[in-house]
Amino acid sequence: MVSILQKKIFRDIAENRWSFLAIVCICSLGIALFNGINLYVSTVENEVSNYYNRANLADYWIYKKEISESDLDNLRSLKDIQTAQRRKVTDISLPEASGAVIHLHALDGEAVINVPELLEGNNLEEDETSALLLDSRFAEAHGITVGDKITAGKGETQTQWLIKGIVRDVEFVYYAPEGLTIPDYQKYGFAYTNASSLPDVPFNEIILTMDENSNLSQEEISTGIRKTLGGANILSRHHQTSYRKVADAMTGIKQIGLLFSIAFFLTAALVTWITVSRMMENQRQHLGTLRSLGFSKKEIMRRYAFFGILITLPSMLFGLFLARFLIAQSLYDVGITYYTIEATGVRTLSPHLVISVVCVAAITCGGTLVSCRNSLRAMPAELMRPKLPSGGHRILLEKISFFWSRLSFSGKIVTRNLFRNKPRMIMGLLGIIGATALILCGFGLMNSINAMLDKAFSETVQYNVEIKFRTPLTMDQISDIYDTLIGAETIDATMAFSVYLYGENGSLQNPYLVVMDEKQKSLDFRDIEGNPVRLPENGLLITPRMAEALAVNIGSKLTAEQLDGTVIPLEVANIVDFPVGNEVYMSKTAFSTVSEIPFSVRTLLINGNDLALDQLKTDTRISLIETKDEMRNNMLVVLETLQFFQVILILFSGLLSFAVMMVLGNMNYYERTRELATLKVLGFYRNEMEELVLQENIWITIFGLPFGLLIGSLLLRMILKQAATPDLEIYPLISSVSIAIGFAITLAFTMFVNRIMGQKFKNIDMVASLKSVE
Amino acid sequence: MTDIIFEKVKKAYRMGEITIHAANDVSFKIKNGELCVLLGPSGAGKTTVLNLLGGMDTATSGKIFSAGEDITAMNDLELTNYRRFKIGFVFQFYNLIPNLTALENVELAKQVCKSPMKPEDALQIVGLNNRINNFPTQLSGGEQQRVAIARAVCKNPDLLLCDEPTGALDTETGKTVLGVLSDISRKMGKTVVIVTHNSLLAPTADRLIEMTNGKVVREVAQDAPADLEKIQW
Ligand SMILES: Nc1ncnc2c1ncn2[C@@H]1O[C@H](COP(=O)(O)OP(=O)(O)O)[C@@H](O)[C@H]1O
Ligand SMILES: [Mg+2]
């Protein structure tokens, strides 16, 4: 009997194979989405954290002009400090490589913290001078191999360096110095050498690690260190560019992925639940037979739970396959190009698989069991009798005779049908809403990113070239550059340095404080309402995301602390709507009233055409020349993962809406074959039958669309909120073109499924369908 | 004028190894306007013959003429048109659309034909004019069957085909339904074919065709059919 029961289940599945396949497909996509994203994140997090441990990543980087042996010893004796090491850090430029810059670390003895990982060649001998271990990405970009020699500096200070080895550095998993948004291996590299190679450079950096179970706060540690050294610039891991960028990227993806997955899962779960329950309801009579044969309810339920397993297992396998080889692999391929790390390949399993499979099993088995139990409540005899066809009844709309009398005959039938079968309508509606929401969210991501870039680079940014200097310079020191830029319409010199900003509630941010002339023309600031804002003579301008992160408003007091511990009291003068950049802005006048620090130039913002920029390319004072287009493109690259998400999202939600419509169409078809056969006997043409029976799917879709838009906007808002970093804020926007396309896609799917169903009408066997009461 | 002609009609069902001849060389004629009873035990092939005549199924071999047209030669669309414009069907299990009221079920038929009767009139004929706004579940079996008849009649078909129209009804209700059907034939001049396994109906027909085992065993024209009221059930 058991095997017959199973045989029966298989036969039912074969009969409902399209619904069954659609459900397996929906469940697979859900599993794939959730797992794919998490496989990627856990792969990278795992690789990174292993690397941090293996290479002993520093907890703090401390900078001071000169650090003596005793400074180091004093620091080592501080509470909870595990190890500390002294380094010389300096930059050398390579004129032969069009002025590329190498950030050089020089050590006394072997590295114990931030241990470089040797990929090729040999480590340096003790006391070996003029030899380097070179950054692998830089070496690759410049075609440098072990044994090559490179020349640094010009004229008298020129030095020759032998490349002894090629290395990776744990501090530079993501190497984007000088405020780069993405790594530029052509321009920037790093290297290791022995301290004796740089006799003229003093030791100027200490890296240290803390005891693992130290419970000192960052502030306590910083204060301790400053006291010991008599002032220093201190950088913790969380402010170190590489560490922060990797961590932020992973958190962002994880959170966005979670939101997507949840939205997808909810839609999928609902459709699955209803379909599975429906399929079970059609088993009523069979249940009655089993009961009358003496099977206990438990035995029957156990057998039917098997049905849920039959959906879960293939979904798990297929979902995992998609997760690993489509989603995780593609994300990894995109992501890993920016991370310099040993790529071990995507993991295949993560605990998330268990979570998602349990969810799917709970929904499929749950749906089966609940409806099975409901059926079993009835007595066997009652079960064997066919369930009475649910009677028709009048719907509320019919009371509105103005509306009702205007409907055509088929219009009336379609309307009443729509409201008769509530579960089907609700499932259809929710399926359509979910799928439309996801599609629109996908398109919205694209719109929002473009709108953000337009806003930033067309409205606010009025300059088209930015020149960054390696070190702060006085106006006199750059007067020759001004001469070169003779054709420029406007040039604004700005000072910028990294500060810690403390809000009134103690929250901390680490932006650049940008100081410019109040008459500057480079940044056309606007407040939230869009009114122009000038740099005030008192106080500073901050962005809305900064205001939120610090929990401050106009008029609030802030404290800015420089890396060396100097404190500047500040007040928020206004909030300006500038979506990119982790910066706060002040006028020269305002700055001079709160700080003694003299104005020095860090960047030039230039507006003008036909500038002689080529001349400046080899200028050693300049670290970077970037045009507006390059900035915009770099932003796009940063957003690459987000764009990838958008593709996945549109693709998956398209499939979801297709599957939903498919399930809906099939359900409609199977439950109404008798009705369809009757229509066929009466001599209805196929298009007339389609109008009577399938038109309701179009209406369901049309009703669902606006709600899909609503939910999609909310979802987009949440996702962009999660994706916001201090560098970047994207406002949700779904353009009308996107809405139209999204709506059209959903409608097209509905019509396509209707077509398929319409084709099936041909095969309805009137004789068989009407032979007896089923 | 002879309206319906079956010529050596065969319908075979292949069931794996064996072939079942549900209709085996069936030949008969029915005249225009006659009330014909197709009688036979269960499994005799009556439904098969009726379905063939109604264009719901296709014969394996043989020819079927209805109003001079060979329906065995029709394609799908022509068969649909044939059902649409010429045929009214009444089933044993009514096959009303549960979601439509009695009136709407009848109106449904009106949608598809050229010269329909007024649905209210059709319901009047079957004596149901006071229940037209009820849904099928709110009606008794006999009432439902009468709605089904009204639906068939409303199309104003040349040919009304009824498969065991009283099979699911009690005697009294069955009589009412049959009364309606014979009125449709006698008063409106329609050709009506009633399939039944109940031999008591035989005397009421203008023509009686008896089937067993897929073959016609008797075909008689009864010049003086008995009055329905006088039949003892
Ligand atoms: N779809 C089918 N497949 C196989 N055999 C069938 C099918 N339909 C009818 N039959 C067989 O054809 C014979 C005649 O059936 P039917 O015309 O329904 O008889 P009746 O209506 O006189 O009771 C029966 O033996 C039945 O088993
Ligand atoms: Mg029969």
Side-chain angles (χ1 to χ4, degrees), chain B residues 15-219:
Chain B
M15 311 267 292
E17 297 286 287
I18 49 167
T19 306
I20 295 168
H21 291 277
N24 201 353
D25 280 336
V26 171
S27 304
F28 59 78
K29 291 173 186 171
I30 299 171
K31 277 190 200 148
N32 215 355
E34 277 184 340
L35 174 68
C36 170
V37 167
L38 188 54
L39 185 70
S42 185
K46 311 180 294 291
T47 300
T48 306
V49 165
L50 200 72
N51 288 343
L52 291 173
L53 178 56
M56 281 168 61
D57 209 352
T58 46
T60 312
S61 68
K63 288 197 180 303
I64 303 167
F65 293 95
S66 180
E69 284 181 279
D70 181 4
I71 62 174
T72 54
M74 287 181 179
N75 64 22
D76 230 34
L77 179 65
E78 288 166 333
L79 277 176
T80 305
N81 279 327
Y82 171 68
R83 289 196 302 272
R84 188 177 176 114
F85 299 119
K86 305 260 164 72
I87 305 293
F89 236 107
V90 178
F91 300 93
Q92 180 178 359
F93 295 108
Y94 335 127
N95 286 322
L96 297 178
I97 308 236
N99 196 27
L100 301 182
T101 61
L103 180 63
E104 286 162 346
N105 261 290
V106 179
E107 279 178 331
L108 188 64
K110 195 187 86 171
Q111 300 293 307
V112 295
C113 47
K114 285 174 189 151
S115 53
M117 205 182 267
K118 265 188 81 182
E120 290 82 357
D121 295 346
L123 283 160
Q124 175 91 48
I125 290 170
V126 298
L128 260 184
N129 37 344
N130 54 343
R131 303 291 303 270
I132 57 170
N133 285 324
N134 287 84
F135 286 95
T137 41
Q138 299 164 329
L139 299 172
S140 72
E143 287 164 336
Q144 288 189 50
Q145 191 61 297
R146 282 189 278 163
V147 175
I149 295 170
R151 183 173 68 186
V153 170
C154 172
K155 287 172 78 181
N156 218 348
D158 299 338
L159 188 55
L160 189 61
L161 304 176
C162 316
D163 194 355
E164 311 267 9
T166 60
L169 305 176
D170 62 79
T171 320
E172 268 317 300
T173 334
K175 259 190 180 173
T176 323
V177 167
L178 284 174
V180 169
L181 290 175
S182 79
D183 281 355
I184 288 166
S185 172
R186 304 266 149 76
K187 295 186 184 155
M188 300 169 68
K190 305 277 177 203
T191 314
V192 177
V193 182
I194 299 173
V195 157
T196 181
H197 60 271
N198 185 348
S199 54
L200 287 172
L201 286 182
T204 62
D206 297 321
R207 183 176 297 271
L208 176 67
I209 300 171
E210 265 186 68
M211 284 186 74
T212 346
N213 275 334
K215 286 189 187 299
V216 175
V217 289
R218 195 157 80 101
E219 185 187 349

Side-chain angles (χ1 to χ4, degrees), chain A residues 531-728:
Chain A
N531 307 313
V533 173
R534 288 174 40 110
L535 276 175
E537 289 182 6
N538 261 308
L540 84 167
L541 301 179
I542 62 173
T543 56
R545 57 192 173 281
M546 184 66 70
E548 200 187 315
L550 294 172
V552 295
N553 216 318
I554 298 173
S556 300
K557 298 265 183 285
L558 290 173
T559 316
E561 189 188 301
Q562 281 186 263
L563 296 183
D564 65 4
T566 321
V567 169
I568 308 169
L570 293 169
E571 190 183 317
V572 179
N574 212 335
I575 295 177
V576 290
D577 194 9
F578 186 34
V580 292
N582 184 16
E583 295 174 340
V584 295
Y585 308 90
M586 271 185 112
S587 70
K588 275 184 194 168
T589 316
F591 186 70
S592 64
T593 61
V594 290
S595 170
E596 312 270 83
I597 303 164
F599 184 81
S600 58
V601 184
R602 210 45 221 274
T603 58
L604 292 179
L605 308 179
I606 304 143
N607 189 20
N609 301 316
D610 306 321
L611 301 170
L613 295 175
D614 283 339
Q615 256 174 280
L616 299 173
K617 287 247 162 77
T618 50
D619 195 314
T620 48
R621 289 167 296 178
I622 294 172
S623 66
L624 183 73
I625 301 174
E626 202 171 25
T627 65
K628 193 147 101 173
D629 291 338
E630 284 168 337
M631 286 182 237
R632 199 188 158 115
N633 282 339
N634 287 344
M635 288 312 293
L636 274 176
V637 175
V638 175
L639 298 168
E640 203 165 59
T641 10
L642 213 54
Q643 291 177 332
F644 178 75
F645 263 125
Q646 157 201 315
V647 175
I648 288 274
L649 199 68
I650 294 175
L651 201 77
F652 272 42
S653 35
L655 282 171
L656 179 69
S657 71
F658 185 58
V660 169
M661 290 323 295
M662 203 71 192
V663 169
L664 204 67
N666 264 303
M667 217 152 125
N668 210 347
Y669 176 78
Y670 281 110
E671 285 171 14
R672 292 170 79 176
T673 24
R674 204 178 172 82
E675 214 172 304
L676 288 167
T678 308
L679 292 178
K680 214 171 166 182
V681 171
L682 284 172
F684 276 77
Y685 298 134
R686 212 170 71 212
N687 59 334
E688 291 169 332
M689 284 162 74
E690 282 177 21
E691 195 185 325
L692 280 179
V693 179
L694 297 178
Q695 211 185 50
E696 65 181 74
N697 292 343
I698 307 255
W699 286 112
I700 288 178
T701 309
I702 289 173
F703 287 144
L705 290 177
F707 294 99
L709 174 60
L710 192 77
I711 306 282
S713 313
L714 288 177
L715 186 62
L716 182 65
R717 189 175 299 259
M718 287 205 283
I719 283 168
L720 291 177
K721 193 143 209 154
Q722 294 292 343
T725 63
D727 295 338
L728 194 67

Side-chain angles (χ1 to χ4, degrees), chain A residues 170-222:
Chain A
V170 68
E171 310 161 78
F172 300 132
V173 170
Y174 189 88
Y175 190 50
E178 311 273 356
L180 282 183
T181 34
I182 50 163
D184 183 344
Y185 305 119
Q186 274 294 334
K187 282 187 186 146
Y188 295 100
F190 57 84
Y192 277 82
T193 185
N194 284 324
S196 50
S197 297
L198 299 169
D200 302 335
V201 181
F203 281 97
N204 51 5
E205 185 198 43
I206 295 178
I207 41 180
L208 60 83
T209 54
M210 304 293 299
D211 279 334
E212 241 168 83
N213 30 21
S214 160
N215 44 18
L216 291 176
S217 78
Q218 194 186 313
E219 242 174 316
E220 287 169 315
I221 295 168
S222 301

